[in-house]
Amino acid sequence: MEKNELLTALEALDSTSRQLDIDETERSAMMQAVTAYANQFLSSLKDAKAFAKNEVGDLSIQSQTYSLSQILTIFQNEVAANGINAASGTHLGYIPGGGLFASAIADFLAAVSNTYASVHYASPGAATMENEVINWLKNIFGFPASAVGCLSSGGSISTLIAFTAARDRHGIKNEKVPNAVVYLSEQVHHSTQKALRIIGLGDVVIRTIALDKNHRMQAPELNAAIEKDKASGLQPFLIVSSSGTTDTGAIDPLDAIADIAIAQGCWHHVDAAYGGFFILTSKKDKFKGIEKADSLIVDPHKGMFLPYGVGAVLVKDSEAVLQSNYYAANYMQDVSNETLLKSSANLSPELTKHFRGLRVWLPLQLHGIQPFIACLEEKILLTAYFRMQLQELGFCLGPEPDLSVSYFWYPFPSDTDAKNKALMAAIHRDGSVFLSSSMIDGRFVIRMAILTFRTKKSTIDKAVEMIKNCLQKIL
Ligand SMILES: *Cc1c(COP(=O)(O)O)cnc(C)c1O
């Protein structure tokens, strides 16, 4: 192309390409519209349904464009008002969190500045901020300063990072895989088995250790299983325990398991995705021994009530983490002098990613830690309160949980499972409070997971009222 031709072509593209760079007046108008929408959304939460099942309209991407106001209407009707309302305190299904407003502001700043946090050289401030979040977590869980960690998208990716380090430390590859043994409990989160498969360990031997009546792993059984496997020539290498199981809110005996892991030379991984932050509460003693683990995961998008999209992993053995995640490349040569461990890119499969540190750091600096602890203590008491109310209605309860997830069923004299299923369906049809179900010890049960910061005593009263009404319909 001639230079003149090139300049003409550039000029022709200019006004259209500029449309992406919105000017200040329009930016203000857009922010106002979004602020108004967000305020309306949040203010109406207390009367909003927890669950609604609607058909999704046409969301395909065609050649026409929409105004922001049209887009906000589409968002409200097709997304916000459809399915589980995960911002509402009435979401008591799966593992909720809520979505702190302060984090939304942090996400906005992170996106506006497009900060590149993965490499210290690119944004020393952002990298340091993320590293300070990791330091704060190490402190909470009693991990040494030499431990490493990073913020991921959630518990599943955190698990991948931790297990990859365990695999590399123990050299589990090729012909060693079918002889390697992983120990877990029936109540372990399914992301555990999934991670093993993804990292090439789908063919390891998996031992499911028996639980006590509170759904906690029985440490002596674990030890016996390891002894037996060693005696038959297998290679025990990884023990996965939970501090806060998804279905039963149980904390495995971490201290005893840690001692077994140390004595047997196994890697001890603790899944604290849901329950980890309860270590800041009166339940602290139940976490004794977590500081001896080799790795742990914890989800700020659960127990810190942050919007979805942030998990964390801590690993003591930095060499093991670097083995799979550190890679030098020519186009990265400008950054290669930076201290390896200051850049999360060397500790995670992710390179370019959202600046997640700010959405954790900002709310902590803005609110301080006390309101978080108060919210968590409140959830523990609300769980006890919910259980008392259900018992008065004649429900059977699962064992007292260690944390804030527990389950119940109604002792219908016949077709108990089928009728509890019908009760669950009636609760979903009602939708004022959302609960989910599970199978525990072969029984259909309804779970209650109390974790969002917006869940209050009035929410539990509303849930009990709804359950009472739904039960009437089945009886
Ligand atoms: C939620 C959860 C996970 C998975 O985490 P994601 O953030 O959903 O990927 C793992 N373990 C436990 C105990 C969980 O509650």
Side-chain angles (χ1 to χ4, degrees):
M1 203 186 264
E2 297 274 329
K3 187 172 175 188
N4 275 347
E5 225 182 310
L6 187 143
L7 293 175
T8 315
L10 274 178
E11 208 170 338
L13 291 170
D14 187 69
S15 73
T16 311
S17 67
R18 256 179 216 284
Q19 288 171 19
L20 294 181
D21 204 3
I22 293 167
D23 71 25
E24 190 172 329
T25 314
E26 204 185 331
R27 284 200 301 271
S28 297
M30 289 173 85
M31 303 239 299
Q32 255 172 27
V34 171
T35 303
Y37 173 77
N39 277 333
Q40 153 72 19
F41 174 84
L42 294 173
S43 301
S44 63
L45 274 182
K46 61 182 190 316
D47 304 313
K49 282 212 162 206
F51 183 62
K53 211 169 160 199
N54 306 318
E55 291 296 316
V56 180
D58 181 10
L59 296 175
S60 64
I61 295 167
Q62 308 287 350
S63 53
Q64 88 273 27
T65 61
Y66 296 94
S67 68
L68 180 61
S69 121
Q70 287 172 314
I71 289 169
L72 288 173
T73 304
I74 295 172
F75 179 79
Q76 172 58 28
N77 295 341
E78 306 300 335
V79 181
N82 205 353
I84 299 169
N85 188 339
S88 167
T90 53
H91 177 18
L92 309 180
Y94 308 107
I95 303 282
L100 286 185
F101 186 71
S103 273
I105 298 294
D107 278 358
F108 178 74
L109 293 175
V112 164
S113 62
N114 198 25
T115 301
Y116 195 93
S118 317
V119 175
H120 189 270
Y121 166 85
S123 179
T128 304
M129 207 175 254
E130 288 210 359
N131 290 334
E132 288 300 343
V133 170
I134 296 299
N135 287 339
W136 177 72
L137 290 171
K138 286 188 216 169
N139 218 0
I140 289 176
F141 293 104
F143 269 45
S146 58
V148 294
C150 66
L151 298 176
S152 68
S153 63
S156 303
I157 302 300
S158 298
T159 303
L160 273 186
I161 296 171
F163 285 8
T164 303
R167 178 197 70 187
D168 292 351
R169 168 52 58 210
H170 285 262
I172 310 296
K173 57 181 177 182
N174 304 331
E175 71 286 353
K176 286 191 170 176
V177 174
N179 278 329
V181 193
V182 178
Y183 303 83
L184 42 76
S185 96
E186 192 192 321
Q187 287 298 338
V188 90
H189 192 272
H190 73 278
S191 54
T192 299
Q193 290 90 337
K194 194 169 145 179
L196 289 172
R197 243 183 358 208
I198 293 171
I199 65 169
L201 299 184
D203 292 331
V204 295
V205 179
I206 292 191
R207 299 273 183 243
T208 307
I209 305 301
L211 302 173
D212 68 13
K213 62 178 187 352
N214 288 83
H215 304 292
R216 302 179 192 124
M217 194 190 279
Q218 298 194 39
E221 301 265 337
L222 169 68
N223 198 49
I226 296 174
E227 294 283 353
K228 195 169 160 219
D229 286 333
K230 280 190 172 170
S232 57
L234 296 175
Q235 187 186 353
F237 87 101
L238 174 62
I239 302 165
V240 182
S241 60
S242 309
S243 65
T245 53
T246 307
D247 260 355
T248 55
I251 301 182
D252 289 327
L254 303 176
D255 203 36
I257 294 173
D259 290 344
I260 292 169
I262 293 164
Q264 299 284 4
C266 290
W267 182 289
H268 182 206
H269 172 78
V270 178
D271 180 348
Y274 146 60
F277 288 108
F278 283 97
I279 197 173
L280 297 168
T281 71
S282 52
K283 299 282 182 176
K284 187 175 181 22
D285 288 351
K286 293 187 184 280
F287 291 83
K288 187 167 180 287
I290 199 167
E291 71 286 351
K292 294 188 229 167
D294 294 287
S295 57
L296 74 79
I297 65 162
V298 64
D299 270 355
H301 65 199
K302 290 175 178 165
M304 271 185 76
F305 328 114
L306 303 191
Y308 292 136
V310 60
V313 56
L314 300 179
V315 183
K316 283 192 184 147
D317 187 336
S318 59
E319 286 296 316
V321 178
L322 290 173
Q323 191 167 331
S324 278
N325 294 297
Y326 171 61
Y327 203 93
N330 291 342
Y331 48 82
M332 299 288 284
Q333 64 189 3
D334 294 342
V335 305
S336 59
N337 289 338
E338 277 305 326
T339 320
L340 287 183
L341 300 177
K342 281 189 189 168
S343 298
S344 64
N346 298 324
L347 306 169
S348 141
E350 293 183 272
L351 179 55
T352 305
K353 62 178 179 184
H354 178 68
F355 172 26
R356 301 181 182 110
L358 190 59
R359 67 198 332 256
V360 188
W361 188 91
L362 187 148
L364 283 170
Q365 301 287 19
L366 189 70
H367 298 298
I369 191 66
Q370 288 312 322
F372 289 90
I373 299 175
C375 270
L376 290 167
E377 292 283 9
E378 184 184 35
K379 302 317 141 203
I380 292 166
L381 298 183
L382 289 177
T383 305
Y385 175 65
F386 199 175
R387 287 169 58 88
M388 280 173 200
Q389 301 297 93
L390 286 170
Q391 195 156 29
E392 281 178 22
L393 290 180
F395 279 90
C396 293
L397 301 174
E400 192 182 326
D402 291 318
L403 299 172
S404 68
V405 175
S406 95
Y407 60 92
F408 60 94
W409 70 94
Y410 196 78
F412 299 102
S414 64
D415 300 324
T416 313
D417 271 9
K419 285 182 182 160
N420 276 291
K421 248 179 234 175
L423 175 61
M424 181 82 271
I427 289 171
H428 285 165
R429 268 195 307 277
D430 179 291
S432 52
V433 175
F434 184 77
L435 300 162
S436 59
S437 71
S438 191
M439 294 299 294
I440 295 176
D441 297 334
R443 179 193 294 286
F444 181 93
V445 300
I446 302 177
R447 289 171 70 253
M448 51 198 205
I450 302 181
L451 195 63
T452 102
F453 65 107
R454 294 192 175 107
T455 302
K456 296 280 161 191
K457 178 181 166 291
S458 58
T459 324
I460 305 304
D461 290 336
K462 192 171 173 180
V464 170
E465 204 45 45
M466 175 197 68
I467 292 167
K468 203 160 109 185
N469 290 336
C470 292
L471 179 64
Q472 291 306 325
K473 291 180 194 148
I474 313 288
L475 282 172

